Amino acid sequence: MANFVLRSAEPKDVSDILRLIKELAKFEEMEEKVMLTEKDLLEDGFGDHPFYHCLVAEVPKDQTTEGFSVIGFAMYYFTYDPWIGKLLYLEDFYVMQEFRGFGIGSQILKVLSKIAVKTRCSSMHFIVAENNKQSIEYYKRRGAADLSLEEGWRLFEIQKKDLVKMTAK
Amino acid sequence: KMEYKLRKAEPKDVSDILRLVKELAKYEEMESQVTLTEKDLLEDGFGETPFYHCIIAETPGENSSDEPDVVGFAMYYFTYDPWVGKQLYLEEFYVMDKCRGSENVFEPHVVQLAMKTRCTGMMFVVAENNQPSVQFYKRRGAEDLSQEEGWRLFRFDKDSLVKMATPAEE
């Protein structure tokens, strides 16, 4: 049974956060799409105005693989629904393979739920790849609703190159 | 032709913002779903940490001595993509019925904001049955991430959050 602690990320954690982001991206075969640097993570997460928040899961040094004690993370931020107000948005959520099955994920969700309730958020949102059946079931078991299915919302994005095009018009 | 002045929202605008939010909700036949109050908008938008930002569209009052009329708003906030960083998320925008056809009055302003704050993208949600809007955005280079990447938006509502936050028997 893994001994672990969950805590808010600190500036010193940015290199572990980046490592885990890349690991999760690699799992989705998208590792080369990670353009973010430790410097970005530091400025954006620990400056005057944090653009994201992170929870990290840490295990004692003697349980670590390759010397990493940070073995999981959840990245979240707050969004705003004009009808109901504040929402907690869970952006990324990952626990290293060898540390799964010990309830770390469930504990992370529990802490996030507490944060959401404490900040008076009306709900927690997150997206899941539609072919990731395992994750979909994991979340549905905990009461999550598939808004894309129920409400027919589609998420759109305009990338920088097209933003630039629009400013040049 | 409508002359709009765009400016950053101030605390005094919360009652107009709520009015416009309700008007847009009414247009979608969802007015009863708006539970937000002026107090929420004030605390959430103009406290120590703003949870949203607003741009207001004004037109001159009936007479030159009148206060300008608030006829539209755009609500946005910043999100974070773990691969590329800051994104501007355009949550909602609306211009009153009598001024329709000018909703994209906010577009250049919001795009400039995204560039200024060094965001790598701008995101927003469109109802899949709103084909005119879907086409409008696609023409400008927007990608339907739901279609291309197969993302589905999920939600844990308050009841589920409370359940998860309280100790459970395994």
Side-chain angles (χ1 to χ4, degrees):
Chain A
M1 171 72 149
N3 240 357
F4 66 94
V5 291
L6 281 189
R7 57 174 177 78
S8 283
E10 293 160 41
K12 63 171 180 162
D13 295 316
V14 295
S15 94
D16 280 305
I17 295 170
L18 187 59
R19 171 180 58 86
L20 293 171
I21 287 172
K22 287 181 169 170
E23 227 174 89
L24 178 51
K26 191 171 185 179
F27 179 69
E28 298 174 20
E29 287 166 15
M30 301 279 209
E31 202 185 356
E32 78 284 359
K33 295 221 154 160
V34 181
M35 313 295 289
L36 223 50
T37 63
E38 284 180 26
K39 182 170 179 280
D40 294 323
L41 282 172
L42 197 63
E43 282 174 6
D44 298 339
F46 301 95
D48 268 341
H49 175 104
F51 287 88
Y52 72 87
H53 305 275
C54 248
L55 284 179
V56 294
E58 205 170 15
V59 295
K61 277 257 142 40
D62 61 352
Q63 273 184 55
T64 64
T65 57
E66 302 149 44
F68 299 127
S69 52
V70 172
I71 51 83
F73 83 115
M75 179 184 273
Y76 66 96
Y77 43 82
F78 296 95
T79 64
Y80 207 76
D81 181 310
W83 295 356
I84 54 178
K86 288 178 292 196
L87 303 177
L88 190 146
Y89 192 93
L90 176 56
E91 175 60 56
D92 244 10
F93 175 24
Y94 175 73
V95 173
M96 287 170 72
Q97 184 95 34
E98 54 268 52
F99 290 93
R100 294 189 201 153
F102 296 116
I104 298 177
S106 293
Q107 191 62 21
I108 289 176
L109 279 180
K110 182 170 167 180
V111 172
L112 287 172
S113 304
K114 286 195 165 142
I115 292 170
V117 172
K118 200 170 94 164
T119 357
R120 286 176 301 119
C121 291
S122 308
S123 53
M124 186 191 317
H125 281 194
F126 52 97
I127 55 177
V128 186
E130 76 194 339
N131 61 6
N132 188 347
K133 298 289 177 214
Q134 231 182 349
S135 288
I136 290 176
E137 289 314 308
Y138 179 90
Y139 294 123
K140 280 186 160 172
R141 273 200 301 273
R142 285 159 177 75
D146 181 344
L147 291 187
S148 298
L149 198 64
E150 294 176 16
E151 300 182 8
W153 290 110
R154 311 195 70 74
L155 178 63
F156 277 69
E157 177 193 29
I158 299 181
Q159 284 187 356
K160 187 115 176 231
K161 59 175 168 65
D162 296 300
L163 288 180
V164 172
K165 255 192 221 163
M166 296 198 320
T167 58
K169 267 202 303 193
Chain B
K1 185 135 202 288
M2 273 295 178
E3 279 296 309
Y4 296 102
K5 177 178 159 217
L6 295 186
R7 60 168 177 82
K8 227 170 118 167
E10 292 160 41
K12 63 170 180 162
D13 294 314
V14 295
S15 92
D16 280 308
I17 296 170
L18 187 59
R19 171 180 60 84
L20 294 169
V21 164
K22 286 181 166 168
E23 226 173 89
L24 179 52
K26 190 171 183 178
Y27 183 69
E28 297 174 18
E29 287 165 17
M30 299 279 212
E31 202 186 354
S32 56
Q33 307 254 29
V34 181
T35 55
L36 215 53
T37 63
E38 283 179 28
K39 182 169 179 279
D40 294 325
L41 281 170
L42 196 63
E43 284 174 6
D44 298 341
F46 301 95
E48 236 186 73
T49 315
F51 287 88
Y52 72 88
H53 304 274
C54 243
I55 302 166
I56 300 290
E58 279 178 342
T59 54
E62 283 286 305
N63 309 305
S64 56
S65 57
D66 283 349
E67 285 278 299
D69 295 324
V70 172
V71 297
F73 81 111
M75 180 185 273
Y76 67 94
Y77 43 81
F78 296 96
T79 64
Y80 207 76
D81 182 315
W83 296 355
V84 295
K86 286 179 294 198
Q87 305 282 297
L88 190 145
Y89 193 97
L90 179 54
E91 173 60 53
E92 192 146 273
F93 59 96
Y94 170 67
V95 174
M96 287 170 73
D97 231 34
K98 61 188 186 213
C99 315
R100 293 239 128 209
S102 321
E103 289 91 337
N104 52 345
V105 68
F106 294 110
E107 195 176 271
H109 195 104
V110 175
V111 170
Q112 290 284 358
L113 262 164
M115 306 304 302
K116 206 167 85 169
T117 36
R118 287 176 302 118
C119 290
T120 52
M122 183 166 100
M123 300 181 107
F124 51 97
V125 159
V126 183
E128 80 194 332
N129 61 6
N130 186 349
Q131 278 308 304
S133 289
V134 170
Q135 294 313 316
F136 175 84
Y137 294 120
K138 282 186 158 171
R139 274 199 302 271
R140 280 155 182 76
E143 301 165 68
D144 180 346
L145 293 186
S146 299
Q147 186 164 57
E148 292 173 19
E149 300 183 6
W151 290 111
R152 310 194 70 74
L153 177 63
F154 275 69
R155 170 185 59 199
F156 279 122
D157 66 14
K158 194 78 178 271
D159 289 337
S160 307
L161 290 179
V162 170
K163 249 195 220 157
M164 290 198 295
T166 49
E169 59 291 357
E170 278 294 279

